[in-house]
Amino acid sequence: MTIERYLRLIAGSFVLLSLALSYFHHPYWLFLTAFVGLNLFQSGITNWCPMVWILEKLGIPHQK
């Protein structure tokens, strides 16, 4: 798999996890959803994402 697929899987997992935690535990977990959304928005504008940097350090290849 490529960085682009891992990135979408990780972002989607974090959103779903935070929604489940906000439903079953406490609504403040929605701040995690907001953080993920803001990070995706920021990476769309700046073309830099911290998770991509981490995945590159782990040696996961980019899409060709």
Side-chain angles (χ1 to χ4, degrees):
M1 271 201 308
T2 63
I3 283 181
E4 291 76 16
R5 290 192 70 186
Y6 273 115
L7 184 64
R8 289 193 298 266
L9 284 170
I10 292 168
S13 297
F14 270 95
V15 168
L16 291 175
L17 176 67
S18 67
L19 288 175
L21 286 170
S22 71
Y23 182 77
F24 292 112
H25 184 59
H26 198 280
Y28 282 165
W29 281 102
L30 291 175
F31 286 117
L32 180 58
T33 303
F35 174 76
V36 172
L38 285 171
N39 191 28
L40 289 169
F41 183 78
Q42 169 268 327
S43 69
I45 292 172
T46 64
N47 202 27
W48 181 80
C49 179
M51 184 55 71
V52 171
W53 181 79
I54 292 169
L55 294 171
E56 285 174 341
K57 294 292 182 189
L58 292 173
I60 298 172
H62 279 278
Q63 190 174 11
K64 293 180 181 173

